[in-house]
Amino acid sequence: MNSRTPEAKEENVGANDFREALTDVRVQETCFHDRHITPQIYAGLTSAADWSIKAYEARDGYQALRRILTEGLTPEQVIAEVKASGLRGRGGAGFPTGLKWSFMPRQFPGQKYLVCNSDEGEPGTFKDRDILRYNPHIVIEGMAIAAYAMGISVGYNYIHGEIWDAYARFEEALDEARAAGYLGESIMGSAFSFQLHAFHGYGAYICGEETALLESLEGKKGQPRFKPPFPASFGLYGKPTTINNTETFAAVPWIIRNGGPKFLEVGKPNNGGTKIFSVSGDVERPGNYEIPLGTPFAKLLELAGGMRGGHKLKMVIPGGSSMPVLPAEIMMATDMDYDSIAKAGSMLGSGAVIVMNETRCAVKSLLRLSYFYYEESCGQCTPCREGTGWLWRIVDRIEHGKGTHDDLKRLGEIAENIQGRTICALGDAAAMPVKAFLKHYWSEFEHHVEHKHCMVPSYV
Ligand SMILES: Cc1cc2nc3c(=O)[nH]c(=O)nc-3n(C[C@H](O)[C@H](O)[C@H](O)COP(=O)(O)O)c2cc1C
Ligand code: SF4
């Protein structure tokens, strides 16, 4: 989306690298394997046919909503349960969900909206599309419960524009839920009404940023808004709006059925429940794995079949492409939860775990990431629009043996000047990987500059 540069030749080199990275992606496994530990979202799912409402009801589906409406749980009680669960947003920032719900001005007299963020454009992340494909009703039930708790009568699920089957599946599930009386007017004979719609998005990474998503949902160009005001007071069409990630909503029915404290117990303090990790890269079995927060990384790697072809683990991006990379020795001593990963120097983000072996070059890896952020910048603010291009071109020079020591210095300075100085967090997302790769793999960058080639064996 950003303005093009005159360096067409250099640009093609980066674009080809990126395409090469895409074709290198191995087919991921779906949720139909037995390698989930105490699953909550994948519980009982055994085949592709399980997505239907009948199969979902057989797995206690819609019992949480029924309990709320028939036992007369108050909205305050529902929010208290979600707060007690320690559920943190699964979209990236890990914000406490119960707290977010309590920000909604429930007594606001006009229209309020609930939005599900199924945009899922972060490289490495592929969990939300599988939830929509194989367990769409769990999202519908979670959204209906959230709508009840916040006094909302209209909701939308914004689904990534390049993923057609998940969108079609969700539409089918909505039809089923409406026909069964779980959506619409006076649900289960109560005073609660909720209309839920699917919206097929535009396929741009930036449309996953919550305010860009709202703009896009309103039919405008998907560009982030200045904040404040935040969506809780000025959201969709300027009305109070709550936005949560697909997996966040999918966690809610289990919490209401089993109680918030039980959910918290499954994970660890401040990190309640299970989390779906999308494991990709140099592992034997890439795929989605649902495990309790706090599970050691070493266990997750084992579930994913270990390192492919007997290679050695070199580095891991533990939370999606925008998060800082961590070397093997740090990851092998770290647990997979928000606080442990933060203590180790990165972030859990969306839970996309990108595993790289000892043949991967740190410079080339960063080049791929930098090209992505350059390509996806919406262009609204100068540090991001210009800075992402500078970062990419400098890393490209270094990778191709044309970099200088000055370039190395400049890389860090530019990243520092982008971070925290932009309208949305895409600027940070472009800067953080640069800083982390330089911090942990400085010698590789230096080697590229001094010897004009890579020090990693397979590239020599
Ligand atoms: C550039 C950018 C892209 C994002 N993409 C997504 C996305 O695809 N899905 C998502 O749930 N959140 C995404 N987020 C985070 C959302 O802005 C928001 O924090 C999230 O949807 C809130 O839901 P949660 O509290 O349940 O995590 C993105 C943020 C940024 C800055
Ligand atoms: S940080 Fe980048 S993506 Fe976000 S608003 Fe600014 S230019 Fe757009």
Side-chain angles (χ1 to χ4, degrees), residues 268-269 271 277 293-295 334-342 348:
K268 59 192 266 194
N271 295 264
F277 290 98
L293 282 168
T295 303
T334 300
D335 295 337
M336 298 305 290
D337 61 81
Y338 295 93
D339 298 335
S340 302
I341 296 282
L348 196 73

Side-chain angles (χ1 to χ4, degrees), residues 89-91 100 117 119-121 205 208-210 243-245 248 425:
R90 306 307 198 211
K100 184 186 270 191
N117 189 341
D119 192 62
E120 197 171 53
Y205 173 63
E209 195 279 340
E210 57 187 19
I243 307 175
N244 278 120
N245 170 256
T248 312

Side-chain angles (χ1 to χ4, degrees), residues 289-312:
Y289 295 86
E290 185 178 357
I291 56 174
L293 282 168
T295 303
F297 168 74
K299 179 72 191 167
L300 180 61
L301 185 60
E302 183 193 318
L303 288 175
M307 297 303 293
R308 191 176 357 139
H311 278 286
K312 257 179 65 191

Side-chain angles (χ1 to χ4, degrees), residues 101-165:
W101 290 10
S102 67
F103 293 155
M104 169 57 85
R106 284 193 27 244
Q107 306 314 330
F108 180 80
Q111 187 67 58
K112 301 185 282 290
Y113 294 103
L114 185 69
V115 175
C116 176
N117 189 341
S118 296
D119 192 62
E120 197 171 53
E122 177 94 350
T125 314
F126 45 84
K127 63 188 176 66
D128 295 339
R129 66 201 70 183
D130 266 12
I131 298 175
L132 296 179
R133 276 180 192 128
Y134 305 120
N135 208 1
H137 285 285
I138 205 169
V139 181
I140 296 174
E141 187 180 8
M143 289 190 75
I145 293 168
Y148 173 82
M150 288 177 275
I152 297 173
S153 60
V154 178
Y156 294 93
N157 187 4
Y158 187 101
I159 300 170
H160 195 88
E162 291 154 321
I163 305 170
W164 290 87
D165 63 327

Side-chain angles (χ1 to χ4, degrees), residues 37-40 84-88 90 254-255 259-275 277 290-296 335-340 348:
I37 308 175
T38 56
Q40 296 167 337
S85 73
L87 174 64
R88 295 172 63 167
R90 306 307 198 211
W254 196 99
I255 292 170
K262 271 232 163 85
F263 186 84
L264 186 59
E265 252 173 51
V266 170
K268 59 192 266 194
N270 200 34
N271 295 264
T274 60
K275 167 94 191 73
F277 290 98
E290 185 178 357
I291 56 174
L293 282 168
T295 303
D335 295 337
M336 298 305 290
D337 61 81
Y338 295 93
D339 298 335
S340 302
L348 196 73

